[in-house]
Amino acid sequence: MDVGQHAEEIRANREAWDAKPLLRDLYDGFYGRIREQIDFGLDGSIVELGSGIGNLKLRVAEAVSTDLFPHPWLDLACDGYALPFRDGALSNLILFDVFHHLRRPLAFLDEARRALVGGGRLILFEPYISATSALAYGPFHHEPIGWRSTIDTRRERYATRDYYAAQGNATRIFFRDEIPGWSQGWIVRHRARYADLSYLLSGGFSKPALYPRRWLPAIRSLDGALSRLPRLFASRCLVCLEKPAGGQATDSASMGGAGAQETLPAGSQ
């Protein structure tokens, strides 16, 4: 993605955010879920990678907002494969719909672990691919799922800024365990999959909403019920990884590994 394409996407997202109160309600719920995973007691900076229009600060005012290209409302521009922070400088690193744009996810995980303090957390909020969401994220979304594409497991920094998207990568890595050993050096603290019809039917940033704002509480209740069958109905996931205190390597590669916890929460709060 070049700077012009990025700027146009940011402009369109800002206009949608300002025009759709329903969208703001939904994202407030997303940000609340992320906030629940942050460890505010650790020394170090809380950083969001790929902040876009920078709205996480509405719920996490302490967050340092970043993106690949500079914008006046962001704190700095940086590359996820080469974070401009010394070893152990970060307490929490947050990615909202950014992980699936990283062509070399293992290279990023290595860099994130370097920058985090012992006990620091990497928090990822991503699409989840289920039988239902595959329909929404497939023909009705501009980004590919990449379900059968080979995931680049090289750990060297990826220096080229070409556009990449594979919405299925979080599902494949963190829930289907398609890359054995990916979690070496991490503790899996939390993972959750949940239905999110309230967002899918909202039209997101680019399409009109299919229901009025006043229906949101009822649709969230439906999301809570459907979340109990995540392989059929889940469309979002939240993963929290922790760098072990002292930096010792652990391997919880099977999702039942040390520290792993799975919850099936209700719809967005």
Side-chain angles (χ1 to χ4, degrees):
M1 179 180 293
D2 61 29
V3 63
Q5 181 183 358
H6 186 263
E8 175 57 26
E9 183 176 299
I10 291 292
R11 182 200 60 77
N13 286 349
R14 172 65 69 185
E15 290 182 357
W17 180 267
D18 292 340
K20 292 180 72 172
L22 175 61
L23 191 65
R24 299 195 294 270
D25 290 344
L26 291 165
Y27 270 73
D28 184 68
F30 297 155
Y31 296 147
R33 291 183 181 277
I34 289 171
R35 185 179 176 89
E36 289 175 355
Q37 297 303 316
I38 295 173
D39 187 344
F40 290 95
L42 288 173
D43 291 332
S45 299
I46 299 172
V47 171
E48 183 189 18
L49 188 65
S51 300
I53 57 178
N55 292 320
L56 178 66
K57 283 180 178 284
L58 296 173
R59 288 296 297 267
V60 187
E62 306 91 333
V64 176
S65 57
T66 79
D67 214 317
L68 191 58
F69 300 106
H71 294 284
W73 59 87
L74 300 178
D75 296 308
L76 60 91
C78 72
D79 185 334
Y81 298 107
L83 297 170
F85 306 101
R86 60 176 173 77
D87 295 0
L90 307 186
S91 59
N92 298 267
L93 180 59
I94 301 163
L95 280 71
F96 189 117
D97 280 347
V98 172
F99 184 79
H100 66 273
H101 290 294
L102 297 170
R103 187 181 294 273
R104 293 187 182 176
L106 297 190
F108 166 74
L109 289 176
D110 288 347
E111 175 64 359
R113 190 169 59 248
R114 177 199 65 77
L116 285 167
V117 68
R121 297 180 179 183
L122 173 62
I123 302 166
L124 308 170
F125 191 87
E126 282 288 308
Y128 180 84
I129 308 303
S130 67
T132 301
S133 70
L135 298 175
Y137 292 139
F140 298 106
H141 198 281
H142 67 282
E143 295 176 351
I145 293 176
W147 203 238
R148 294 181 176 83
S149 301
T150 300
I151 299 175
D152 189 339
T153 59
R154 287 174 288 181
R155 294 182 179 269
E156 297 82 14
R157 175 188 176 189
Y158 189 76
T160 305
R161 293 184 174 183
D162 62 329
Y163 178 76
Y164 172 82
Q167 294 182 92
N169 278 3
T171 306
R172 296 174 65 188
I173 294 171
F174 302 122
F175 293 88
R176 294 169 62 97
D177 197 28
E178 291 189 19
I179 302 180
W182 70 264
S183 62
Q184 184 175 358
W186 294 101
I187 295 170
V188 183
R189 283 194 57 86
H190 174 85
R191 63 170 190 161
R193 303 168 291 177
Y194 55 93
D196 200 12
L197 286 176
S198 53
Y199 181 76
L200 295 179
L201 297 177
S202 76
F205 283 89
S206 60
K207 297 179 177 62
L210 300 180
Y211 67 93
R213 187 183 183 189
R214 65 180 182 275
W215 290 9
L216 180 56
I219 298 178
R220 280 176 165 167
S221 295
L222 177 60
D223 281 337
L226 296 178
S227 291
R228 300 189 180 280
L229 296 171
R231 292 185 180 180
L232 289 177
F233 298 113
S235 56
R236 281 291 188 176
C237 63
L238 178 62
V239 176
C240 179
L241 309 179
E242 181 180 301
K243 177 179 176 177
Q248 71 272 22
T250 64
D251 190 349
S252 51
S254 71
M255 295 310 296
Q261 174 190 5
E262 176 157 16
T263 57
L264 299 177
S268 302
Q269 299 301 311

